[in-house]
Amino acid sequence: MIDTLLDRSVVLGYSRAGYLLRRRTWPAADPAPDALRGRVALVTGASSGLGEAVAVGLAGLGAEVVLAVRDLGRGEAALARVRAAVPEAKVRTSRCDVADFASVREFAAREPRADILVHNAGVLPPERGESVDGHETTLATHVLGPLLLTELLRPALRASADARVVLMSSGGMYTQSLAVDDPEYRAGRYRGATAYARTKRMQVELTPLLAERWRADGIGVHSLHPGWADTPGLATSLPAFRRLVGPLLRTPGEGADTAVWLSATQPAPPAGRFWHDRRERPRHLLPHTRATTAEVATLLRYCLDAIVR
């Protein structure tokens, strides 16, 4: 009951206070200290913020971590910080611009092993733009690129005894319905924050269908939102919001906690669900945001067609 009240209050549940209150109820050894020993984890958008914090968390549990980054210079700086945080870490960088299908294909071809794939790369553009493949930037980054990368890595994930795919969504998705009729955001006045939330809604709605699509391969698919975390991306994209709620913001490590937990806890969490602070959360809080099964299936067909063209 208290946890639900925290969640519905938003301010308390998404803030650092919510994390600190909930953490008191979590088992001390979950995940186990060496839970990921011998496993390979790929983390996109790992050059700072939540992605870097996820990498630190996974490396601390024994995983070999690949920082999939668009900018190798920033990636090497993040690599140094991960090694400083986890001196024994097995970690390296590899270039991957998830909004660029050619870059995604090149990255997947270089990575013969994958047990864990964390889709964290994110953008919040000030105006509408398109990827080199002709897709709206947030759609390419948050939905199409991750879908293509997972499809390409299916053989590697299939070979794992416990493959997990984790999508880093956002609580902002609660404000948006599924834009199945305009996934490329061509109609209406474009707002970056809306585009961001729309594509995060897509991630969450697609999670159950992707879990079913990849179930026969033994791949578990999970989505989550991290709460309000103080990251370089937040400072750049939403400076006014950061100034307003600054003292309430979580650290990147606190925001990354559930992604790390979903990647490592045993037994594996049920696939196809949406999580926050290690608890399953509803996909909808507002009635008008609900989508039908047919609408979600239509969106998935659009996305699958887009990545093979």
Side-chain angles (χ1 to χ4, degrees):
M1 177 67 73
I2 293 175
D3 180 79
T4 300
L5 290 173
L6 285 171
D7 191 55
R8 300 303 185 272
S9 74
V10 179
V11 173
L12 289 176
Y14 292 17
S15 70
R16 191 167 193 231
Y19 172 83
L20 294 175
L21 286 169
R22 289 165 174 151
R23 186 179 65 177
R24 297 176 183 177
T25 67
W26 298 340
D30 181 22
D34 60 349
L36 300 180
R37 192 75 57 195
R39 293 168 64 74
V40 176
L42 315 180
V43 183
T44 69
S47 60
S48 66
L50 291 173
E52 181 183 321
V54 169
V56 168
L58 298 177
L61 295 173
E64 177 183 339
V65 182
V66 179
L67 309 183
V69 297
R70 183 172 55 183
D71 184 323
L72 283 175
R74 293 183 62 209
E76 289 299 317
L79 180 71
R81 293 191 295 269
V82 173
R83 285 177 171 160
V86 187
E88 70 278 14
K90 294 181 179 179
V91 58
R92 57 187 171 85
T93 59
S94 185
R95 187 179 184 280
C96 182
D97 180 349
V98 295
D100 180 339
F101 294 170
S103 178
V104 170
R105 292 188 175 97
E106 291 168 3
F107 173 78
R110 290 195 302 270
E111 301 302 330
R113 283 196 59 198
D115 300 285
I116 298 159
L117 175 58
V118 180
H119 292 297
N120 167 78
V123 293
L124 200 164
E127 57 188 31
R128 189 183 186 281
E130 292 188 350
S131 69
V132 295
D133 302 290
H135 298 287
E136 190 275 322
T137 304
T138 61
L139 180 72
T141 304
H142 301 155
V143 182
L144 301 180
L147 179 59
L148 174 60
L149 181 55
T150 310
E151 287 285 326
L152 292 171
L153 289 173
R154 278 176 79 173
L157 292 164
R158 189 185 301 124
S160 172
D162 182 12
R164 304 189 195 184
V165 174
V166 177
L167 291 153
M168 184 73 77
S169 184
S170 164
M173 69 94 195
Y174 279 123
T175 66
Q176 296 296 314
S177 56
L178 192 67
V180 66
D181 295 327
D182 184 24
E184 301 280 358
Y185 207 157
R186 292 192 170 97
R189 175 173 172 265
Y190 185 90
R191 294 183 64 250
T194 301
Y196 182 91
R198 280 164 55 131
T199 51
K200 293 300 181 177
R201 162 61 69 191
M202 292 178 192
Q203 288 181 333
V204 173
E205 295 290 351
L206 289 171
T207 296
L209 269 65
L210 295 177
E212 186 59 34
R213 178 179 178 83
W214 297 322
R215 188 183 307 279
D217 295 318
I219 302 170
V221 186
H222 317 277
S223 57
L224 74 136
H225 82 80
W228 295 337
D230 193 6
T231 65
L234 181 71
T236 300
S237 301
L238 297 171
F241 176 78
R242 183 173 182 265
R243 287 193 298 271
L244 178 66
V245 301
L248 301 175
L249 294 175
R250 300 173 178 213
T251 67
E254 291 164 352
D257 175 82
T258 297
V260 174
W261 179 81
L262 286 168
S263 301
T265 190
Q266 292 293 342
R273 313 286 180 86
F274 180 57
W275 304 82
H276 171 57
D277 282 347
R278 305 192 184 192
R279 289 283 299 274
E280 184 182 352
R281 306 294 172 182
R283 296 203 305 274
H284 305 273
L285 296 180
L286 303 172
H288 76 273
T289 66
R290 294 185 181 276
T292 66
T293 302
E295 287 172 330
V296 183
T298 296
L299 177 65
L300 179 57
R301 285 196 299 274
Y302 178 87
C303 294
L304 289 170
D305 288 345
I307 64 175
V308 298
R309 288 175 183 169

